[in-house]
Amino acid sequence: MPAPNAEDLSHDNIVAFIADIFARRGAEEYLGEPVTISEHMLQCAECAEAEGASDEIVAAALLHDIGHFTHEFAEDAAEHGVDSHHEHAGARVIERFFPTIVTDCVRYHVDAKRYLCATDPAYFGKLSDASVHSLNLQGGPMSKDEAKSFAENPNLAAILQVRIWDDIGKDPDHAAPPFAHYAPVLERVVQKQAASA
Ligand code: FE
């Protein structure tokens, strides 16, 4: 079956569209880490699943880096090449189809790192070299005021949890389940969202 057209996305074809992105683009390098981008996203989803997370949180873990592929989505075409805030772009391209708890985890996964660096002394030591490097480009640890306002997000716990898995899902010696294993999870989240819209 041909992949859905980016101009023509709906609740009924968004999961197939994302599957196609994983299939075509997933083997790309993940910014200096020893795993590919799809291995990384799948390992994060597996962490969520292993801890008994809800469908929404598994979906959030799986999709948190979808922003690296936003130029696949028609609405983001104008911003092609401007990937300095992949997390915001990623949330924007999926927000028509997924609930806020999912898009918040995507949108704030970089801020969550900045928040945890400011509030959890043990956290910084767990970051990979590539993640420490990007932290500096991303503004470094949050100030007290930034952390205070960030903590007001009602989805804070989920956002921080996805971030923790983001930092873990970089193991080159581990094979996570394939995308197909998670497609039904995404489908349930999207269809629930469609039914409530
Ligand atoms: Fe990530």
Side-chain angles (χ1 to χ4, degrees):
M1 207 172 61
N5 192 319
E7 315 286 334
D8 205 21
L9 293 182
S10 71
H11 287 88
D12 292 325
N13 64 18
I14 182 66
V15 177
F17 185 76
I18 293 171
D20 179 64
I21 295 175
F22 268 75
R24 284 186 298 105
R25 308 280 314 275
E28 291 175 16
E29 191 188 335
Y30 177 46
L31 309 168
E33 302 287 0
V35 289
T36 67
I37 190 89
S38 69
E39 284 167 346
H40 168 62
M41 293 165 82
L42 290 163
Q43 285 187 21
C44 292
E46 189 185 25
C47 288
E49 190 182 29
E51 294 201 25
S54 66
D55 283 349
E56 283 76 11
I57 303 306
V58 174
L62 179 66
L63 298 178
H64 77 275
D65 271 334
I66 193 72
H68 291 299
F69 304 120
T70 49
H71 39 298
E72 299 279 347
F73 291 78
E75 61 264 52
D76 207 55
E79 294 178 50
H80 178 53
V82 186
D83 192 29
S84 55
H85 292 287
H86 75 281
E87 66 278 17
H88 295 281
R92 222 165 36 242
V93 293
I94 62 164
E95 67 190 353
R96 281 190 288 151
F97 311 107
F98 289 87
T100 306
I101 190 161
V102 175
T103 53
D104 270 4
C105 291
V106 175
R107 180 172 282 118
Y108 298 120
H109 77 271
V110 170
D111 282 343
K113 176 169 76 169
R114 299 183 53 231
Y115 174 85
L116 287 166
C117 283
T119 57
D120 178 355
Y123 176 78
F124 180 81
K126 296 177 194 153
L127 293 177
S128 66
D129 291 347
S131 201
V132 170
H133 177 71
S134 60
L135 173 69
N136 296 325
L137 302 174
Q138 289 153 348
M142 283 185 173
S143 69
K144 263 207 167 75
D145 284 351
E146 281 178 297
K148 193 164 166 249
S149 73
F150 188 71
E152 286 167 12
N153 189 310
N155 293 320
L156 180 71
I159 293 166
L160 297 183
Q161 184 58 76
V162 168
R163 180 67 223 186
I164 301 294
W165 294 324
D166 188 2
D167 297 318
I168 295 172
K170 302 176 174 181
D171 180 355
D173 299 318
H174 178 75
F179 182 88
H181 176 78
Y182 296 105
V185 178
L186 294 186
E187 206 60 73
R188 284 195 295 274
V189 175
V190 167
Q191 291 308 328
K192 194 167 145 197
Q193 176 71 0
S196 73

